Amino acid sequence: MTVKIADILEERRDQIHRTGEGAIDIACNRESLAGAVSQRACVFCGSRVVLYPIADALHLVHGPIGCAVYTWDIRGSLSSGPELHRLSFSTDLQETDVIFGGEKKLEAALDELIDRHSPKAAFVYSTCIVGLIGDDMEAVCRKMTEKKGIPVLPVMSEGFKGNKRAGYEAACKAMFRLIGEGDTSGISPVSVNIFGDFNLAGEIWIIREYFERMGVQVVANVTGDGRVNDIARCHGAALNLVQCSGSTMDLAKMMKEKYGIPFQRVSYLGIEDMADSLYRVADFFKDKDPSIVERTQALVRDELQKLMPELARYRKDLEGKKVAMYVGGSFKAFSLVKAFRHLGMKVVVVGSQTGTKEDYAELAEITDPGTVIIDDANPLELSHFIKEKDVDVFVGGVKERPIAFKLGVGFCDHNHERKEALEGFTGMLNFAREIHASAMSPVWQFAPRRANRIRAARKEAVNE
């Protein structure tokens, strides 16, 4: 269905759909419209998101200093050991470098940084200006690999080549050069790699603990709390689990083609998807370990016995409230729609930056009639639909927070700035607690839209 609203740019109308109003044929996975103020990020940003949680690697941005502002502090991936990834390095290209080239500067930077920090590997990120002036990063990285004896890997992430999704692919190609170099001895036949989890607020530790209780060895975190040597040997695992499919699906496909390792798409968000992911892993390994299914059932049962009474308390207050969400990867949207149903809340607006036709078709199946589904939204569109649907809580990231607060709507940060773990059964309780605190805050009664709603309700009560 084509949405006809005065606030929506004509060229954007085929990227918006309402569930139940005709067959979904939403336009997506295309370049953002110039002037639309897309919430998307660039290729370089996408590559950094995927790679820099590798904690014992050096991350060097070859470009102007401004690009290096995208650092650990913007996406706080935690480490249980080394924290080299928290340092942001740049070659700080200037006008003379643009004219005469930056290869010598890059080589000198790598020489100094590798000697000073002794990383297990180095990732060198190309930026827009490097793509324009034509520095041969491949040659410089190859030379420094031979000189320093560690992998020095170019990440071809020039920002103008596409959008954030292209950056994911660039990161996967760089990582794939590492895989196959490590020793796979000692890896259990019941083993997995965790793909697409970036250990925000320590979430990957929660998931690893579940797998340990099931008897499953985790070979490598790709990439939250990641280690170069683990990634180098991860081709020895029996199964790849891909959560954020946009960011690491390319790597899973490369490994399947070269090493024959199967992969499963999973999600650790919400009750249903978390339990389903664990059960699917157990089902995969049940021939090798017949008791794994029973252990998994016991794990899920124990966690739900602790979780469900707590959720019931929050549901009493949240029942019937309306939610809008705008996320980066669509896998989050699937899980969150289900999670909000456990809280008695209704999702009325849902969108993502990088969804595919298949993703949006699935969203149309699981959302209620009238739900607005939107691809690559901008602030004007998000504001319009939040007001139209009279939303109580908006779920998004740092770029969406000001929209919610300006409109007097509760906000939940479900993106990379969050400091509270939201994955796993533990994360579901944290999520419910945060949604409850935001939606039920007394401050919203002073927001103009809410104040009008309260006055209308009181007037109706008096008339009755």
Side-chain angles (χ1 to χ4, degrees), residues 66-261:
C67 294
V69 75
Y70 200 86
T71 66
W72 176 90
D73 292 308
I74 290 178
R75 192 181 186 108
S77 302
L78 301 185
S79 170
S80 58
E83 294 192 333
L84 182 55
H85 68 308
R86 294 190 63 175
L87 302 180
S88 186
F89 301 105
S90 170
T91 52
D92 188 19
L93 294 184
Q94 303 292 317
E95 289 182 7
T96 53
D97 302 312
V98 174
I99 297 168
F100 297 107
E103 292 178 15
K104 290 183 179 179
K105 200 170 189 179
L106 174 59
E107 186 176 332
L110 285 167
D111 208 359
E112 178 182 345
L113 290 170
I114 292 172
D115 287 346
R116 179 177 294 184
H117 295 283
S118 302
K120 299 294 184 180
F123 292 98
V124 182
Y125 301 83
S126 179
T127 55
C128 290
I129 197 67
V130 171
L132 291 172
I133 66 178
D135 279 358
D136 191 346
M137 278 183 34
E138 286 275 1
V140 175
C141 290
R142 188 163 53 247
K143 179 180 178 180
M144 296 309 295
T145 296
E146 294 171 358
K147 182 177 180 180
K148 298 299 182 181
I150 65 168
V152 180
L153 305 167
V155 185
M156 311 313 291
S157 53
E158 299 89 345
F160 56 74
K161 291 201 305 188
N163 56 37
K164 193 175 182 180
R165 182 180 285 274
Y168 297 157
E169 183 180 4
C172 288
K173 287 180 177 178
M175 260 193 297
F176 192 60
R177 296 186 180 201
L178 271 179
I179 296 171
E181 301 297 319
D183 180 13
T184 59
S185 60
I187 295 178
S188 167
V190 181
S191 57
V192 299
N193 296 314
I194 299 177
F195 279 20
D197 190 300
F198 305 115
N199 201 34
L200 308 179
E203 290 173 337
I204 207 167
W205 301 330
I206 296 173
I207 306 308
R208 286 183 65 109
E209 192 261 339
Y210 292 158
F211 286 131
E212 288 172 9
R213 288 164 64 182
M214 290 169 58
V216 177
Q217 179 187 2
V218 177
V219 178
N221 303 334
V222 183
T223 55
D225 196 20
R227 301 292 183 273
V228 170
N229 290 340
D230 290 341
I231 295 171
R233 70 195 291 260
C234 74
H235 60 293
L239 177 66
N240 286 327
L241 302 177
V242 186
Q243 176 170 232
C244 183
S245 58
S247 65
T248 50
M249 182 59 79
D250 289 323
L251 184 62
K253 290 178 178 177
M254 292 177 203
M255 291 184 68
K256 183 176 182 180
E257 182 177 346
K258 183 171 182 178
Y259 300 106
I261 303 173

Side-chain angles (χ1 to χ4, degrees), residues 309-322:
E310 295 294 321
L311 291 187
R313 289 196 304 113
Y314 293 120
R315 180 173 179 135
K316 291 178 182 178
D317 292 332
L318 297 173
E319 189 87 45
K321 293 193 178 295
K322 291 181 283 189

